[in-house]
Amino acid sequence: MASTSICTSDLTSITVRGRDLVNDLIGELSFTEMLYFLSCGRKPDAAQAKVLDACLVTIMEHGINPSTIVARLIADTVPEEPQVAIAAGLLGIGGVFAGTSEQCAAILVELKKQGEGAVRETAERLLASGQPIPGFGHLHHKPDDPRSPRLFAVAERAGIKQDYTSLLRKLGAAIDAAKGRHITINATGAIGALMLDIEVPVAAIRCFSVVARSAGLTAHLLEEKSNPAARTIWRESRNAVPYVAP
Amino acid sequence: MASTSICTSDLTSITVRGRDLVNDLIGELSFTEMLYFLSCGRKPDAAQAKVLDACLVTIMEHGINPSTIVARLIADTVPEEPQVAIAAGLLGIGGVFAGTSEQCAAILVELKKQGEGAVRETAERLLASGQPIPGFGHLHHKPDDPRSPRLFAVAERAGIKQDYTSLLRKLGAAIDAAKGRHITINATGAIGALMLDIEVPVAAIRCFSVVARSAGLTAHLLEEKSNPAARTIWRESRNAVPYVAP
Amino acid sequence: MASTSICTSDLTSITVRGRDLVNDLIGELSFTEMLYFLSCGRKPDAAQAKVLDACLVTIMEHGINPSTIVARLIADTVPEEPQVAIAAGLLGIGGVFAGTSEQCAAILVELKKQGEGAVRETAERLLASGQPIPGFGHLHHKPDDPRSPRLFAVAERAGIKQDYTSLLRKLGAAIDAAKGRHITINATGAIGALMLDIEVPVAAIRCFSVVARSAGLTAHLLEEKSNPAARTIWRESRNAVPYVAP
Amino acid sequence: MASTSICTSDLTSITVRGRDLVNDLIGELSFTEMLYFLSCGRKPDAAQAKVLDACLVTIMEHGINPSTIVARLIADTVPEEPQVAIAAGLLGIGGVFAGTSEQCAAILVELKKQGEGAVRETAERLLASGQPIPGFGHLHHKPDDPRSPRLFAVAERAGIKQDYTSLLRKLGAAIDAAKGRHITINATGAIGALMLDIEVPVAAIRCFSVVARSAGLTAHLLEEKSNPAARTIWRESRNAVPYVAP
């Protein structure tokens, strides 16, 4: 029989994962701790919360991109229901752009099972596939994605265990060696490893990205109200995609 | 000409609202501080962040409701793209259920302009409308929504200014007097006032609810994977809405 | 108790609004007739179906606009689930751009109740509001929206009753007289009146637009596969909305 | 350079795929013909349009299912923007339930390339996979999906070529032989073959399902207004998924 262990309520109380929302959680947990608690079923320690905060801050905002363009256009046509614009923007947080943290984490989980002896072989197999390697390389940040070393430093300072981060760095070194040149570990790779090190399940990783991006979209919707860009985007898009007779 | 002041990047750096993301924000700000910074254009002080955390924790999770039912059903049919299920669930954070914080805040902003002398008249006008008063009353929590006093206590402990909270309580007292019985200030009312007291713009309030709810939906999607309810919901809904010949 | 009169099925048959789907509807009704039958609860006559077809064909496609831009961007990021791109595009068929048929129909329904004597007063009241009049005027088509006379001609040829179309024309003449210059009846106005004349309920009008637009979005998704525009739209949008330090 | 060949307009005309919308299409094409014209770039002949109508009518409506439940729940919370409810419902037309026409068509396209000699081997390979075979079997309709023979009869009566339909029937016979018992060709299989026989590209098949389902959702939204089920669905879902302490 179906059941849920997330939340229930009665006349005078609300219970979330067995805790009293009012007395145990409101005012006691940060947003990030509550997100972790709700998703993982246990409270994070301070170091885990610190690292999760850093990951969420890192991916929250990406400027004018498909997701924010979509949110701004929808906000212009459905101005009274901002959740519709946010939802529309989030639809674009798909596997193509946002799935790489999760995919990188899946590679690391597999590698952990196989042991470090499999690092070189994995590196070679990934390169041989000819596909982009999840968590490696970056179109705009060269030679290195500046976010990854910062994230690793935050994790080190926080003092979390670094099993997967360490494995990711070894995989990176092996990829560099096999390729004969340096390929950066990008922010999505670093986040994939860090999420595992703070014991977030792989299936939660993309959802956490979506949560972080909902915050970024909020900023764009507010800016769109005071400094609208939607009509400009529409006009420029129409100009950039002219009609050609079939 | 359209422009944005949210985010830009170049080969080696990412700039968010004039700050260097890597060195000034990652590892320095919590999710909640970054959400506030991105949306309001300035960092919150510690008290404001504390209160915003409490508000977000309060509204994050509501158990099995339209939004989580929708997310679970969509996750069952589009399992590989969890952002689609989250977005679908968020579409339901509409004015009917989630707009009351914003509407209550709008009433308080107006009341602040008019001065405290207008409290009684406003209370009477709201009651006379015959409509539910945004921020007041609760279907399930009686006689009082237990979240509101807790939120007020967190705010008091944090030491934020309480202009709007105070106004809300006065409005509540006037409503009780005019009605001749007690009507609870519900969590959405408390949050509407607190958001104003921490200087969040009215237009951001519903967006912040959406962000919080995206975290709650994440927990439901993860639970759906291990303890699925979607097919049960489908079957029970079909049974509960039988076909009757036209 | 909740119930539905739309559809049920058993081992060997499917019943839709009391009819046997397999033997009475498949191969017997066109898409448009089935849409009408499902929505209105009765089959349209040939004239009504003809006019509904003309209305749906009219609004199906609008080139590169917010809805198709959104659909193309989402298709680029979630390529395996085309329904997500279509749904994203449809979110933008909101009141701002697509609600005018429905709003114009609502004006006509009210006017019908009041009688033709109210036409002049209604025209003056609508003009005095200073707002755009639903169903009148067009940004790009001047002096006249070429679709409206064509739609009226189709309706006349089909031989439907023209109570609302006639009322709309009278309202148009009164608006011209009060304004002192000609304002075109646009396609959304013509469609609002025609939908009423073919006995489509007001609440169905916007839904029918959504159905028609889903067909237009399909064409854009298919073209996006062979001749992609999403990355161009992204790049041009980013260029058109430059970062300005706050 | 990006371009589009779908639609353009100027002051006095609208051009769709090289044709004048007003004079060549409105009043001349049915919805179904226009959908085909827009998507395939050429007008269908009468037989192709007849078969496409039959396919669209077949899949338009499925009663109370995840898609209609979602649409009804969202309509209850965002009542003023019906496109949001329709879009939410369409998000669930995913690969799991709605991808089988497309997948069956892809199998037939491959089989056509290989020639009829590959039918038996394909049947055995599909059975050996242990997975459901796209286009075959049905949970509720036993022993045969009644829609498929009806669709084949419509196609035969219309006189379209039946290359893929014929191949599908041969594949069905080979599956029956290899399995040792009859497995029905379901409606999604029949539609996959028929779409190919009327020269609809494989990539359009799922989009056409989405278009058809948008019509079905319209009927549910209208019924929800007069005979609401959303609150019942919510209550029954909550009862069916009780809280169990973690």
Side-chain angles (χ1 to χ4, degrees), chain A residues 1-14 16-17 21-32 34-35 38-40 50 53-58 60-64 72 80-88 90-96 102 139-147 150-151 154 157 201 203-204 206-208 210-212 214-216 218-223 225 227-229 232, chain B residues 1-14 16-17 21-32 34-35 38-40 50 53-58 60-64 72 80-88 90-96 102 139-147 150-151 154 157 201 203-204 206-208 210-212 214-216 218-223 225 227-229 232:
Chain A
M1 188 188 164
S3 66
T4 179
S5 296
I6 297 177
C7 181
T8 190
S9 65
D10 58 24
L11 270 182
T12 57
S13 74
I14 297 151
V16 176
R17 288 211 175 279
L21 172 68
V22 168
N23 295 304
D24 296 348
L25 304 173
I26 296 175
E28 301 299 319
L29 297 195
S30 71
F31 174 93
T32 300
M34 182 74 168
L35 168 67
L38 261 180
S39 304
C40 304
K50 183 80 185 171
D53 266 324
C55 291
L56 295 172
V57 165
T58 299
M60 203 179 279
E61 178 47 42
H62 293 76
I64 302 294
R72 285 172 179 262
E80 303 303 323
E81 299 280 355
Q83 86 281 7
V84 176
I86 294 177
L90 293 179
L91 288 175
I93 313 300
V96 174
E102 189 181 7
L139 273 178
H140 304 300
H141 297 303
K142 290 173 193 304
D144 272 303
D145 187 331
R147 297 167 295 183
R150 174 67 173 174
L151 284 165
V154 169
R157 203 170 61 196
R206 181 120 67 102
C207 295
F208 283 12
V210 172
V211 171
S214 73
T218 293
H220 283 268
L221 293 193
L222 294 172
E223 188 178 69
K225 278 184 187 291
N227 186 13
T232 298
Chain B
M1 188 188 165
S3 66
T4 180
S5 296
I6 298 177
C7 180
T8 189
S9 65
D10 58 25
L11 270 182
T12 57
S13 73
I14 297 150
V16 175
R17 289 210 176 278
L21 172 68
V22 168
N23 295 302
D24 296 348
L25 304 174
I26 297 175
E28 300 301 318
L29 296 196
S30 72
F31 174 92
T32 300
M34 182 75 168
L35 168 66
L38 261 179
S39 303
C40 305
K50 183 80 185 171
D53 266 323
C55 291
L56 296 172
V57 164
T58 299
M60 202 179 280
E61 179 46 42
H62 293 75
I64 301 295
R72 285 172 178 263
E80 305 302 323
E81 300 279 356
Q83 86 281 7
V84 176
I86 294 177
L90 293 179
L91 289 174
I93 313 300
V96 174
E102 189 181 7
L139 274 178
H140 304 299
H141 297 302
K142 290 176 194 298
D144 272 304
D145 186 332
R147 297 167 295 182
R150 174 67 172 173
L151 284 165
V154 169
R157 204 170 60 195
R206 182 122 65 103
C207 295
F208 283 12
V210 173
V211 171
S214 72
T218 292
H220 284 268
L221 293 194
L222 293 172
E223 187 177 70
K225 279 183 187 289
N227 185 14
T232 298

Side-chain angles (χ1 to χ4, degrees), chain D residues 105-119:
Chain D
I107 290 168
L108 296 174
V109 167
E110 185 58 33
L111 201 47
K112 186 97 186 298
K113 277 188 213 149
Q114 298 175 335
E116 288 194 13
V119 165

Side-chain angles (χ1 to χ4, degrees), chain D residues 6-46:
Chain D
I6 298 177
C7 181
T8 189
S9 65
D10 59 25
L11 271 182
T12 57
S13 73
I14 297 152
T15 302
V16 175
R17 289 211 177 278
R19 300 295 184 103
D20 183 84
L21 173 67
V22 168
N23 295 304
D24 296 347
L25 304 174
I26 296 174
E28 300 299 319
L29 296 196
S30 72
F31 175 92
T32 299
E33 290 168 329
M34 182 74 168
L35 168 66
Y36 188 105
F37 173 60
L38 261 180
S39 303
C40 305
R42 62 187 180 280
K43 293 187 190 174
D45 61 32

